[in-house]
Amino acid sequence: MEASFRPVSFIFLAFLFLPNFLFFFFCTGLSELRCIDTERQALLSFKQHLIDPSNRLSSWTAHGDCCLWEGVVCHNLTAHVHQLNLTSYYVPSVLGGKLNPSLLDLKHLNYFDLSFNNFTSTAIPSFLGLMKSLTHLNLSNAGFVGLIPHQLGNLSSLRFLNLESSRTHGLYVNNLEWLSGLPLLQHLNMSSVNLSKAFDWVQVTNTLYSLLDLRLSFCQLRPFIPPTPTANSSSLLTLDLSLNLFENTLIISWIFGLRNLVSLDLSYNYFQGPIPVDLQNMTSLSHLDLSFNNFNSSIPNWLYSLSRLEFLNLGYNNLQGTISSAIGNLTSAVSITIDLPSNRLNQEVSKILEILSRLSRLESLELNHARLSGHLTNVLGKFKKLVHLSLWNNSISGPLPVSLSNPSSLTYLCFSYNQFNGTIPQSFGQLSKLETLYIDSNRLKGVVSEFHFSNLTSLRVLYASGNQLTLKVSQNWVPPFQLEFLSLRSWNLGPKFPPWLCSQRHLWLLDISNTRIADVVPPSFGNLSSQFYYLNLSHNLFHGEIPKSPVIFSASVINLSSNHFKGPLPYISSHVDVLDLSNNSFSGSISHFFCFKVNEPKMIAYLNLENNLLSGIIPDCLMNWNNLEVLNLRNNNFSGSIPASMGSLTYLKSLHLYNNTFSRKLPSSLKNCEVLVIIDVAENRFAGNIPSWIGHRCTSLMILSLRSNYFHGHIPKELCTLTSLQILDLSHNKLFGSIPRCVKIFSAMATNNISNDHLNSYNQSYYFGGALPLESALLVIKGNILEYSTILQLVKSIDFSKNNLSGEIPKEVTSLQGLQSLNLSYNFLIGSIPENIGTMGSLESIDFSLNQLSGQIPSSLSSLTFLNHLNLSNNNLTGKIPLSTQLQSLNPSSYVGNKLCGPPLTVNCTTNGVKPNNENISSKETGGLEVDWFYVSLALGFVVEFWSVCGPLLLNKQWRIMYFQFLDHMWYKLKGVVSF
């Protein structure tokens, strides 16, 4: 018995201690495990083909343990490399180059992440489809381009695939059939991949039985109506179809069968009509984003019955109606965003907030553009967990509530564009967690002291522009915060420069324009260690020279306009995008400015130097300024010719050289500036013919102003090809010949349509702090020089005055029915005024004065109902002035110097003819001979003058001798001068 027991006991003890023994063995051996040599060699080969500018992979050495290398994770027991995590999402250094097939030697690799790197212009290699052990592949935002290889469909073990493109449609597919080979896939992200050819995107994703998360944002998905999904897709929990420009809600009807969806993002599309009623059946939704669409219904009450909703975003639609009290049913809500731009009914803000204060979980609330009115009461104190609050663009008035500091968790607060008045309560200073504060564009007044900022230690963003506030702090005040964005436009900060600004070392945006500062910029401000992006000191009284600081002049956007800065132009960084130094007293040459680091490309797109004292020539070193879109040198003292290198500005849209002393011809190199919209070289000394290439090459031109120069020759017919032209000013030159009949081709002047605002196309992208200044032009309209800016794109005008033009006014000009001003005065035009001029229904100003026009005033002129300025004076017009409210209400001086009669002139018209309005009555009309007293007086004057001079010479011989001796003497003197 005992003998038989021993073997059994031994076996029992062996099984009892075997796990401990194995555990000890493996744990002891683990410390000695090193990566497998073949895998180390594979990684080293992989590294050789990478570009690693920051030496991030310095630990990858030939004899090192690859299990300890950066981004490499080995299995605890086998030491095989099973994770390669080289994402640059959390580190500043990025990798590039290309992927080496040596990765295929990592047979056990299941996790591969190259996201947020820079494999620019590199295609995703097809050999990745051979790495069968992969379960996680992340190539998102890594710079890959081209066709996604279908071989990725061989990765049958894959559970996570992220191919989100970092470049707009840098990656594309022809179809998605290859996805069918990934039966275990749970997470798929192909955002920003061009899927416009993938007609099968719905059918294929329906076959992925395990799919939980599908993100297809900004993929150019085809707008077709797919079939209703099968139950296979019911596993889907997250769906993102934002930014695909869908229009009809029927396109997404298949979504409503996905009853298990927890998160649905349909933002940034073109969906119209009411919010789809089928959404009410998706009761599992906790995240719903319908923002940035065109939904135009009221908010249905059933939407508030989705009790699991935690995130609801209905912002930026055309929703109407009001916010129902049923919103209080969203008891799970953590974040709510609603705007009602089409709402016509004001709602009391305090009542809405009272309802929302019952939502105990609410952390983020945005009720923007919702016509909320009334006063903010102390109800805000009931929001215990509120972190983010925005009531932007409403009509809320009254004072800012003192209780605002009660939600001590607030980090974001936006009250911009309301009607708050009164002062800022000092309790604001107790919001210790507040990071972002927007109170701009209100009616706040009074004094702000350092007590208002006493505890704002977390503040990073402060926008408070557009109020009437005065900052009064002690001279040595040091704020408790370090701001990154600061906008105090229109505050009273002066007259001295605020010294506390020099303590803000991380400023990225600074706007202290129009703040009554009358001081020099202190050197300590230029010594800040931060890097500005946007700097606006405009509309103050700064004087002296600008500190030569790399901090100031390396900002991307610099606006120092409308001050009293003087001295030479500063050197600027090549990275500046926008520079406005207009309306100052800068003087001297600009050669150093344009030729600084002449071989270094400049990024600047907008340059405004108008209204200064700059002089000299424009140097011929603009070759590397070819990003310029706007060049404004108006109202300076520049001279010489335009350099040929200006033709290298191929993106130039707006060229302003008004009121300088430029001379010679316009250089032919300007024909390379084919996207020009404005050419304004008026008030200079340019000469030569008007170049015909303007019509051939500058086909987008909308404003051409050559006024007050020395251009001569004919008006080139090639200008007629400028179909976008709205303003053409060739006045005050030496042009001759006839007006081209092809003017009827000016199609922009032939319609009343308001053009797209191409005049400010560079301005459509806003930069931080506001838009760029609008384009402007000085035009002579209605006899006055006026500057147009905000309505410039509405003006349509032709001015050919003060030239030597001859011939008739072509009847084709009357086809320009959108024209508002037509000035042909001070020429030698003959013939009659076109009979159908009355069809030009938009005309407000006509000036045909000082020509040789004849005939009668066309009766159709009386139909010009918008006409308020007319000058037909000093022509040869005859007959009766047509009757109309406009023509009779004009000043009589509009008709003088003709043979016209009738109101508003005092000369009456007869039934048989016309009485000249400024002449003597002829004897024919009184029964006698007609006498023209002008010629009678001319003859009498000649006789008197002749006998006054010649009579004494004929009658007095001595005077005759002296007179001819004088002539002989003058002749010899003149002859000597000519010979010399």
Side-chain angles (χ1 to χ4, degrees):
M1 187 77 177
E2 185 177 336
S4 62
F5 175 76
R6 287 177 180 175
V8 174
S9 301
F10 177 78
I11 294 172
F12 174 76
L13 291 173
F15 276 101
L16 183 64
F17 290 104
L18 182 61
N20 293 327
F21 172 77
L22 292 175
F23 178 79
F24 175 79
F25 173 81
F26 282 114
C27 288
T28 304
L30 186 61
S31 62
E32 299 177 359
L33 282 177
R34 295 171 62 88
C35 77
I36 298 168
D37 185 63
T38 56
E39 296 185 355
R40 179 174 62 246
Q41 294 303 322
L43 290 172
L44 290 174
S45 297
F46 171 62
K47 176 188 176 182
Q48 286 180 352
H49 290 80
L50 294 179
I51 298 173
D52 184 10
S54 300
N55 202 20
R56 177 181 170 187
L57 304 183
S58 59
S59 60
W60 291 31
T61 59
H63 302 291
D65 183 358
C66 66
C67 294
L68 303 177
W69 289 355
E70 168 78 17
V72 179
V73 178
C74 295
H75 194 276
N76 288 341
L77 300 179
T78 66
H80 283 297
V81 175
H82 75 111
Q83 288 191 22
L84 192 53
N85 187 356
L86 297 177
T87 179
S88 293
Y89 184 78
Y90 303 104
V91 294
S93 58
V94 295
L95 302 173
K98 63 179 183 179
L99 306 188
N100 191 298
S102 64
L103 288 173
L104 295 176
D105 291 333
L106 305 178
K107 303 294 185 183
H108 301 273
L109 190 68
N110 54 50
Y111 184 103
F112 189 27
D113 191 342
L114 281 178
S115 58
F116 295 94
N117 281 292
N118 189 26
F119 292 92
T120 306
S121 303
T122 303
I124 296 175
S126 58
F127 72 77
L128 291 180
L130 299 175
M131 303 177 71
K132 297 295 185 64
S133 60
L134 279 180
T135 61
H136 182 113
L137 178 60
N138 190 348
L139 304 179
S140 64
N141 300 290
F144 291 108
V145 297
L147 180 68
I148 295 176
H150 63 85
Q151 287 86 352
L152 294 184
N154 297 326
L155 302 176
S156 56
S157 300
L158 209 59
R159 288 171 171 77
F160 181 99
L161 177 60
N162 192 341
L163 300 176
E164 181 177 358
S165 180
S166 59
R167 298 170 60 180
T168 304
H169 308 306
L171 291 170
Y172 69 94
V173 300
N174 291 325
N175 60 69
L176 290 176
E177 185 179 352
W178 53 273
L179 283 175
S180 301
L182 309 178
L184 302 180
L185 197 64
Q186 297 178 354
H187 303 273
L188 175 61
N189 187 346
M190 298 184 72
S191 297
S192 297
V193 175
N194 188 342
L195 303 182
S196 60
K197 295 182 180 179
F199 296 97
D200 54 351
W201 64 277
V202 173
Q203 291 87 337
V204 171
T205 52
N206 279 341
T207 65
L208 302 177
Y209 306 149
S210 303
L211 197 62
L212 302 176
D213 183 355
L214 177 60
R215 301 176 189 271
L216 301 177
S217 173
F218 198 31
C219 289
Q220 296 188 43
L221 293 173
R222 300 293 294 180
F224 69 100
I225 303 175
T228 303
T230 63
N232 296 334
S233 61
S234 62
S235 60
L236 205 61
L237 300 179
T238 300
L239 179 61
D240 183 355
L241 296 177
S242 60
L243 283 163
N244 278 296
L245 307 185
F246 292 129
E247 296 181 5
N248 195 319
T249 53
L250 290 176
I251 296 168
I252 58 164
S253 58
W254 65 276
I255 295 175
F256 305 133
L258 305 173
R259 301 295 176 83
N260 292 327
L261 269 185
V262 173
S263 176
L264 176 60
D265 190 345
L266 300 177
S267 62
Y268 291 92
N269 282 287
Y270 287 144
F271 292 127
Q272 303 176 13
I275 295 175
V277 67
D278 294 298
L279 283 173
Q280 65 182 321
N281 298 321
M282 305 181 73
T283 54
S284 297
L285 280 176
S286 65
H287 181 113
L288 178 60
D289 192 343
L290 302 179
S291 61
F292 292 92
N293 281 285
N294 291 318
F295 290 118
N296 55 15
S297 65
S298 58
I299 302 173
N301 276 348
W302 56 257
L303 190 62
Y304 300 131
S305 66
L306 298 177
S307 58
R308 296 186 182 180
L309 268 184
E310 297 180 2
F311 179 96
L312 174 63
N313 191 345
L314 303 178
Y316 296 95
N317 280 280
N318 291 316
L319 297 172
Q320 51 190 302
T322 57
I323 299 174
S324 167
S325 59
I327 197 172
N329 296 329
L330 297 177
T331 54
S332 299
V334 175
S335 175
I336 296 176
T337 299
I338 295 175
D339 61 15
L340 295 165
S342 299
N343 183 19
R344 297 181 180 179
L345 300 173
N346 288 320
Q347 282 189 278
E348 187 70 31
V349 63
S350 58
K351 292 181 180 179
I352 298 298
L353 292 177
E354 185 67 43
I355 295 170
L356 290 168
S357 66
R358 303 169 194 164
L359 306 181
S360 59
R361 300 184 61 194
L362 200 61
E363 296 179 4
S364 176
L365 176 61
E366 292 192 19
L367 302 178
N368 301 322
H369 203 35
R371 288 183 68 94
L372 299 178
S373 60
H375 295 185
L376 277 183
T377 62
N378 291 329
V379 68
L380 286 176
K382 299 180 180 180
F383 290 85
K384 302 301 182 184
K385 294 185 177 181
L386 203 60
V387 173
H388 182 113
L389 175 61
S390 179
L391 300 175
W392 171 81
N393 198 15
N394 284 286
S395 301
I396 305 171
S397 57
L400 294 171
V402 176
S403 64
L404 195 59
S405 60
N406 290 344
S408 57
S409 55
L410 269 177
T411 64
Y412 181 100
L413 181 60
C414 179
F415 287 162
S416 301
Y417 293 90
N418 277 283
Q419 299 173 23
F420 288 108
N421 51 39
T423 60
I424 298 178
Q426 287 191 5
S427 57
F428 260 47
Q430 303 308 310
L431 293 170
S432 60
K433 294 184 179 179
L434 193 65
E435 298 176 2
T436 302
L437 175 60
Y438 289 91
I439 53 173
D440 50 303
S441 301
N442 280 283
R443 300 175 180 176
L444 299 171
K445 297 181 179 180
V447 174
V448 177
S449 70
E450 52 196 82
F451 297 105
H452 289 86
F453 302 104
S454 58
N455 204 27
L456 298 182
T457 55
S458 301
L459 196 63
R460 296 293 176 267
V461 177
L462 174 58
Y463 278 83
S465 297
N467 291 287
Q468 299 179 36
L469 295 165
T470 299
L471 182 64
K472 287 188 177 180
V473 294
S474 61
Q475 191 71 13
N476 56 354
W477 179 59
V478 178
F481 46 71
Q482 283 291 323
L483 294 174
E484 297 171 9
F485 296 80
L486 175 61
S487 179
L488 300 180
R489 174 174 42 85
S490 299
W491 280 44
N492 183 2
L493 302 180
K496 293 295 183 180
F497 187 91
W500 60 269
L501 279 176
C502 300
S503 69
Q504 302 300 295
R505 298 183 303 275
H506 305 300
L507 278 174
W508 204 64
L509 177 148
L510 176 63
D511 185 351
I512 52 172
S513 59
N514 191 27
T515 51
R516 306 182 192 178
I517 298 176
D519 198 358
V520 297
V521 179
S524 55
F525 179 73
N527 293 332
L528 290 178
S529 59
S530 66
Q531 178 75 42
F532 283 114
Y533 174 84
Y534 175 93
L535 176 63
N536 191 345
L537 308 182
S538 66
H539 294 88
N540 281 292
L541 297 171
F542 283 108
H543 53 268
E545 296 190 13
I546 305 172
K548 295 178 174 60
S549 165
V551 172
I552 296 176
F553 294 108
S554 59
S556 291
V557 178
I558 304 169
N559 189 349
L560 307 182
S561 63
S562 300
N563 280 286
H564 297 307
F565 288 118
K566 64 179 182 178
L569 289 180
Y571 295 102
I572 64 169
S573 163
S574 298
H575 300 292
V576 174
D577 292 321
V578 173
L579 178 62
D580 192 345
L581 302 179
S582 61
N583 300 298
N584 279 285
S585 298
F586 291 108
S587 59
S589 170
I590 59 171
S591 294
H592 68 284
F593 176 82
F594 277 114
C595 301
F596 179 60
K597 295 184 178 179
V598 66
N599 294 320
E600 189 173 290
K602 307 298 189 294
M603 297 299 297
I604 190 165
Y606 178 94
L607 176 61
N608 190 351
L609 302 176
E610 72 170 319
N611 295 325
N612 278 286
L613 304 173
L614 300 167
S615 58
I617 63 170
I618 300 178
D620 196 13
C621 52
L622 302 180
M623 295 73 68
N624 285 298
W625 292 70
N626 51 10
N627 286 304
L628 265 180
E629 296 183 33
V630 176
L631 177 59
N632 191 342
L633 304 178
R634 279 196 315 197
N635 294 321
N636 279 285
N637 299 314
F638 294 117
S639 59
S641 59
I642 296 178
S645 59
M646 192 170 284
S648 62
L649 308 181
T650 53
Y651 293 110
L652 194 64
K653 297 178 181 178
S654 176
L655 176 62
H656 293 275
L657 304 179
Y658 174 87
N659 193 24
N660 284 280
T661 56
F662 290 111
S663 59
R664 302 182 187 175
K665 296 181 178 181
L666 293 176
S668 60
S669 63
L670 274 178
K671 68 175 66 173
N672 298 324
C673 305
E674 295 184 357
V675 296
L676 273 168
V677 176
I678 298 177
I679 298 178
D680 184 358
V681 297
E683 304 285 348
N684 279 284
R685 298 176 182 176
F686 290 110
N689 295 324
I690 297 176
S692 59
W693 54 257
I694 293 179
H696 288 310
R697 305 295 288 271
C698 303
T699 54
S700 301
L701 209 60
M702 298 179 70
I703 296 178
L704 177 60
S705 179
L706 309 180
R707 183 177 80 246
S708 296
N709 281 284
Y710 298 112
F711 290 108
H712 58 79
H714 293 79
I715 299 175
K717 295 181 180 179
E718 288 80 3
L719 294 185
C720 296
T721 61
L722 300 174
T723 56
S724 299
L725 202 64
Q726 293 187 192
I727 296 173
L728 177 59
D729 190 346
L730 307 181
S731 62
H732 291 254
N733 280 286
K734 298 181 179 181
L735 301 173
F736 54 82
S738 59
I739 299 174
R741 295 185 178 277
C742 61
V743 291
K744 63 182 180 181
I745 306 177
F746 291 144
S747 55
M749 301 183 190
T751 67
N752 293 316
N753 296 335
I754 298 174
S755 68
N756 294 325
D757 195 5
H758 299 302
L759 292 175
N760 292 294
S761 58
Y762 64 88
N763 200 11
Q764 292 174 1
S765 56
Y766 284 70
Y767 60 83
F768 291 96
L772 291 169
L774 292 173
E775 282 286 4
S776 64
L778 287 165
L779 306 175
V780 179
I781 294 182
K782 302 177 184 178
N784 299 309
I785 298 179
L786 303 172
E787 183 171 9
Y788 291 83
S789 57
T790 54
I791 63 168
L792 182 60
Q793 72 273 17
L794 309 179
V795 179
K796 300 179 180 181
S797 166
I798 288 179
D799 191 346
F800 292 163
S801 63
K802 295 192 177 179
N803 280 287
N804 299 313
L805 299 176
S806 57
E808 298 184 348
I809 301 175
K811 62 181 180 180
E812 287 79 4
V813 77
T814 61
S815 64
L816 306 180
Q817 297 182 15
L819 201 65
Q820 297 156 341
S821 176
L822 178 60
N823 190 346
L824 305 178
S825 63
Y826 288 87
N827 280 289
F828 298 98
L829 299 174
I830 60 173
S832 58
I833 298 173
E835 188 62 35
N836 59 342
I837 193 171
T839 62
M840 302 175 71
S842 300
L843 275 176
E844 301 175 17
S845 175
I846 298 176
D847 192 343
F848 293 163
S849 62
L850 288 150
N851 278 285
Q852 299 173 16
L853 300 174
S854 58
Q856 296 186 343
I857 299 176
S859 59
S860 66
L861 200 66
S862 60
S863 62
L864 298 179
T865 54
F866 292 106
L867 192 67
N868 54 48
H869 177 83
L870 175 67
N871 192 349
L872 303 178
S873 63
N874 297 296
N875 280 284
N876 298 318
L877 300 172
T878 59
K880 183 179 180 181
I881 298 172
L883 295 176
S884 75
T885 305
Q886 280 74 25
L887 299 184
Q888 269 64 53
S889 64
L890 296 171
N891 194 297
S893 62
S894 301
Y895 305 102
V896 299
N898 292 285
K899 298 179 181 179
L900 297 169
C901 63
L905 298 177
T906 57
V907 180
N908 294 323
C909 299
T910 64
T911 56
N912 296 325
V914 177
K915 295 180 180 180
N917 56 336
N918 283 325
E919 314 253 341
N920 291 323
I921 301 175
S922 67
S923 58
K924 181 183 285 188
E925 292 173 280
T926 59
L929 295 174
E930 182 179 4
V931 178
D932 195 329
W933 291 104
F934 173 78
Y935 293 106
V936 171
S937 61
L938 187 64
L940 289 173
F942 175 77
V943 171
V944 171
E945 289 294 330
F946 178 82
W947 286 108
S948 297
V949 176
C950 297
L953 295 177
L954 293 174
L955 299 175
N956 192 317
K957 181 178 180 181
Q958 187 175 359
W959 284 15
R960 279 201 307 274
I961 293 171
M962 290 175 63
Y963 177 72
F964 286 110
Q965 284 178 342
F966 170 78
L967 291 178
D968 285 342
H969 180 70
M970 291 300 297
W971 165 250
Y972 284 114
K973 256 192 159 184
L974 182 61
K975 185 177 179 181
V977 171
V978 173
S979 300
F980 178 79

